[in-house]
């Protein structure tokens, strides 16, 4: 996606989101807020998985780390959420760099299993560190963000903050994609051995992608904590990591628009199928299965069906001989 298209996408995000904030009821605005927060996290996952090919099943752990750091700083130390948010992102970045050094030596399904273990360990630690995290009881009374002494406690007011955060993440991801670092990340994904042969520092590039992905996840965690105002270990279990990965694959990996589309679709789909009762999970799974089998490029792959065939100039016989 070019920077021009990303700018158009950002304008569309703000315009559509702003319009929906005026017409949707409170409950659907809450779902939309959760969808936008998930989109922030999935756009970050796209940097690691879509651009670099790092299979991560521990993305929810970084979301949880950002949420817990913000919650602890605001409820225990009285720090403003605006000040706690950059601190939470910094902690997630440092942790990703430290844990990424040994983890990223692994490849393929070994890396997937290792990140899954990281997520499981995070839930176990937060469930048992009662003095700091409150255990399974979680942390409540997290203060909301305030703008000019106006607390963003309403769904409509918080939606604008979430949309602006998503817009910033989309622009940063687009700039990265079109920079030389972005092209190097894609080269590592396509052929790591060839990338090393050309002189690229592949361990450093993979660590860069892993760290940026964790930073976006921590930002999503901060938004989640101040939106729901209560967090517990169950909010960041490995099933959430699998859901983030499914959002990216269903929408279209390596695509920022696909990451957003997948996050919105998989957030609202259970609600749209609620009339089926307990059977909605079966239909939900079948729909996801159909997308994965028949649309390996995700829903964004449908764009190829609507493109006109290119008209390449055909050389005349005389010109061809000359």
């Amino acid at each position: 996606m070019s920077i021009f298209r990303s700018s158009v996408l950002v304008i569309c995000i703000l315009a559509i989101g702003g319009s929906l904030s005026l017409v949707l009821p409170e409950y659907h605005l809450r779902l939309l807020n959760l969808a936008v927060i998930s989109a922030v996290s999935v756009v970050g996952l796209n940097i690691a998985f879509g651009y670099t090919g790092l299979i991560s099943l521990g993305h929810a752990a970084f979301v949880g780390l950002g949420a817990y750091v913000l919650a602890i700083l605001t409820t225990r130390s009285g720090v403003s959420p605006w000040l706690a948010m950059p601190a939470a992102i910094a902690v997630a970045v440092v942790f990703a760099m430290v844990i990424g050094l040994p983890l990223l030596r692994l490849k393929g399904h070994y890396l997937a299993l290792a990140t899954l273990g990281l997520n499981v360990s995070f839930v176990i630690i937060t469930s048992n560190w009662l003095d700091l995290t409150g255990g399974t009881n979680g942390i409540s009374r997290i203060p909301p963000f305030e703008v000019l002494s106006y607390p963003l406690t309403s769904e409509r007011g918080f939606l604008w903050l979430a949309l602006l955060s998503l817009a910033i993440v989309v622009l940063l991801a687009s700039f990265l994609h079109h920079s030389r670092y972005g092209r190097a990340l894609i080269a590592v994904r396509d052929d790591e051995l060839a990338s090393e042969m050309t002189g690229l520092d592949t361990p450093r590039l993979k660590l860069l992608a892993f760290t940026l992905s964790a930073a976006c996840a921590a930002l999503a965690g901060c938004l989640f904590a101040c939106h729901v105002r209560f967090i517990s270990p169950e909010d960041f279990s490995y099933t959430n990591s699998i859901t983030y990965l499914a959002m990216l694959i269903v929408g279209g990996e390596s695509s920022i628009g696909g990451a957003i589309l997948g996050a919105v679709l998989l957030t609202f789909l259970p609600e749209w199928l609620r009339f089926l009762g307990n059977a909605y999970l079966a239909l939900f799974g079948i729909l996801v299965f159909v997308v994965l089998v028949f649309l390996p490029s995700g829903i964004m792959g449908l764009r190829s069906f609507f493109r006109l065939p290119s008209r390449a100039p055909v050389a005349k016989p005389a010109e061809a001989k000359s």
Side-chain angles (χ1 to χ4, degrees):
M1 180 179 287
S2 66
I3 294 178
F4 173 74
R5 289 183 179 179
S6 298
S7 302
V8 173
L9 177 60
V10 166
I11 294 173
C12 291
I13 289 171
L14 297 176
I16 295 174
S19 301
L20 291 175
S21 70
L22 300 176
V23 296
L24 287 180
E26 195 75 2
Y27 176 67
H28 287 94
L29 283 175
R30 186 173 183 80
L31 286 179
L32 185 59
N33 271 318
L34 294 175
V36 174
I37 293 171
S38 296
V40 172
S41 177
V42 178
V43 170
L45 180 61
N46 187 45
I47 296 174
F49 179 69
Y51 293 171
T52 320
L54 302 174
I55 305 175
S56 174
L57 294 178
H59 200 58
F62 294 105
V63 178
L65 183 59
Y68 266 100
V69 172
L70 181 137
I72 292 168
L73 288 177
T74 53
T75 58
R76 302 287 178 83
S77 304
V79 178
S80 165
W82 292 112
L83 297 177
M85 183 166 63
I89 296 173
V91 169
V93 166
V94 172
F95 179 72
M97 293 178 68
V98 172
I99 199 70
L101 287 173
L103 272 185
L104 296 177
R105 293 178 178 272
L106 305 173
K107 298 178 182 178
H109 55 280
Y110 294 105
L111 176 60
L113 288 175
T115 51
L116 178 64
L118 171 67
N119 205 149
V120 173
S121 301
F122 175 81
V123 173
I124 292 174
I125 291 173
T126 51
S127 299
N128 291 280
W129 199 343
L130 301 179
D131 294 336
L132 186 64
T133 65
T136 54
N137 292 326
I139 300 176
S140 59
R141 298 181 181 179
I142 301 172
F145 287 106
E146 292 185 3
V147 177
L148 300 176
S149 301
Y150 175 75
L152 299 178
T153 53
S154 69
E155 299 294 340
R156 189 166 285 105
F158 187 88
L159 180 60
W160 281 104
L161 174 63
L163 290 172
L164 287 174
S165 302
L166 177 60
I168 293 172
V169 170
V170 166
L171 286 176
L172 292 177
S174 180
F175 281 126
L176 173 67
H177 187 218
H178 291 89
S179 68
R180 64 188 182 95
Y181 290 105
R183 290 189 290 272
L185 294 178
I186 295 172
V188 172
R189 177 198 64 187
D190 292 342
D191 195 328
E192 185 173 344
L193 181 60
S195 301
E196 290 178 352
M197 295 290 288
T198 58
L200 291 178
D201 190 350
T202 56
R204 188 175 179 181
L205 288 169
K206 290 195 290 186
L207 186 61
L208 171 67
F210 193 67
T211 304
L212 291 176
S213 176
C216 294
L219 173 60
C222 294
L223 294 173
F224 178 82
C226 288
H227 176 241
V228 180
R229 304 183 65 184
F230 170 78
I231 58 172
S232 67
E234 294 180 355
D235 297 323
F236 314 107
S237 66
Y238 71 90
T239 56
N240 293 79
S241 292
I242 296 174
T243 302
Y244 290 139
L245 190 59
M247 288 174 174
L248 180 57
I249 294 175
V250 169
E253 59 182 282
S254 304
S255 167
I256 297 174
I260 298 172
L261 182 62
V264 174
L265 184 63
L266 265 66
T267 301
F268 276 89
L269 197 56
E271 183 63 25
W272 294 336
L273 300 177
R274 186 173 291 276
F275 68 95
L276 295 174
N278 293 330
Y280 90 92
L281 283 174
L283 183 58
F284 177 77
I286 292 172
L287 289 175
V288 173
F289 177 78
V290 168
V291 171
L292 294 179
V293 171
F294 295 101
L295 293 172
S297 300
I299 297 175
M300 293 302 287
L302 290 172
R303 293 179 301 176
S304 59
F305 293 102
F306 300 101
R307 287 177 181 168
L308 295 174
S310 60
R311 297 179 179 177
V314 180
K316 295 179 181 180
E319 295 176 349
K321 290 179 182 178
S322 63

